Amino acid sequence: MNARRIIAGSVAVVATATAVGVSVVAGMERGTGIERPLWVSLGVVLTVGAHLIPALSGGRSKAFRTGGFALWLACMACAMYGHMTFFSLASEHAGAERASAIAVPVESGRGLTAIARERAASESRIARLFAIKCKGSECKALRASVATERAKLSALDVERTEVERQRGKVDAAQARRDEAATDPVARVLSGYGVTPANV
């Protein structure tokens, strides 16, 4: 019997200490300055109350036990809210750490809008050149100008392809980062159509 009491007491102490630790961490994540120790103290009191009130109410009068039960329910609700805050913050911190380990490449060069604008201007110049009527040596210079503009278009197409390739890498890395930031358990559950809203 003594061994059972020792085991039961040890389990109770460990469970209470763990719950108090969770409440302390959750309280430290709330508020700033003097607010933090107050949140921590409140969380510890509520958690200890949730664990000890049932034991302290044993053998007392019915009215005492009724009041103790109501107080225990309030402590449990507040303690559970604090623990949910801890689990949510822990999940966010772990997700942020996983996401930060994925490097997102930096885009270099011009954007697609600037390239498209320059390409349109080059095509417009080619159209104007083709509209010019030439004779003799003038046609050779005109053809050279057209060839120059077409070379610019080819260079712009290469630049656009490179920018799109870089953007694809950035988008892929960002998608991996977003996936890493998501809680793995929540991701698995969402695959089965289970979300926090319908659990």
Side-chain angles (χ1 to χ4, degrees):
M1 187 66 179
N2 289 335
R4 288 183 179 178
R5 286 185 177 180
I6 292 174
I7 293 173
S10 300
V11 171
V13 169
V14 171
T16 302
T18 303
V20 168
V22 169
S23 297
V24 169
V25 174
M28 289 298 293
E29 293 290 340
R30 295 173 175 170
T32 57
I34 190 62
E35 298 170 355
R36 286 183 176 175
L38 292 175
W39 273 112
V40 170
S41 301
L42 181 61
V44 170
V45 169
L46 292 171
T47 301
V48 172
H51 282 247
L52 295 184
I53 287 175
L56 296 176
S57 299
R60 301 301 180 93
S61 64
K62 184 176 181 181
F64 188 92
R65 290 198 305 272
T66 301
F69 179 73
L71 184 59
W72 174 79
L73 283 178
C75 289
M76 278 295 292
C78 294
M80 288 176 65
Y81 177 77
H83 290 183
M84 289 295 294
T85 301
F86 169 81
F87 294 134
S88 176
L89 291 171
S91 177
E92 289 180 9
H93 294 163
E97 187 173 338
R98 290 192 301 270
S100 64
I102 299 175
V104 176
V106 179
E107 292 186 60
S108 60
R110 297 184 298 171
L112 291 174
T113 302
I115 296 173
R117 189 180 298 117
E118 186 173 342
R119 199 178 190 286
S122 185
E123 289 176 342
S124 178
R125 285 192 294 270
I126 290 175
R128 288 197 301 270
L129 289 171
F130 273 121
I132 298 174
K133 295 181 179 180
C134 63
K135 293 180 180 180
S137 60
E138 294 178 355
C139 293
K140 186 181 289 186
L142 190 63
R143 285 194 295 270
S145 297
V146 171
T148 300
E149 292 298 332
R150 284 178 172 171
K152 287 182 181 178
L153 286 177
S154 297
L156 289 170
D157 288 340
V158 172
E159 184 180 2
R160 181 178 61 187
T161 300
E162 178 62 22
V163 170
E164 289 174 345
R165 187 180 67 81
Q166 289 185 3
R167 181 161 295 181
K169 287 184 176 181
V170 171
D171 291 342
Q174 189 61 53
R176 290 195 302 272
R177 176 173 280 192
D178 293 341
E179 184 179 2
T182 305
D183 187 273
V185 176
R187 190 163 59 245
V188 171
L189 291 177
S190 65
Y192 291 98
V194 180
T195 62
N198 58 27
V199 169

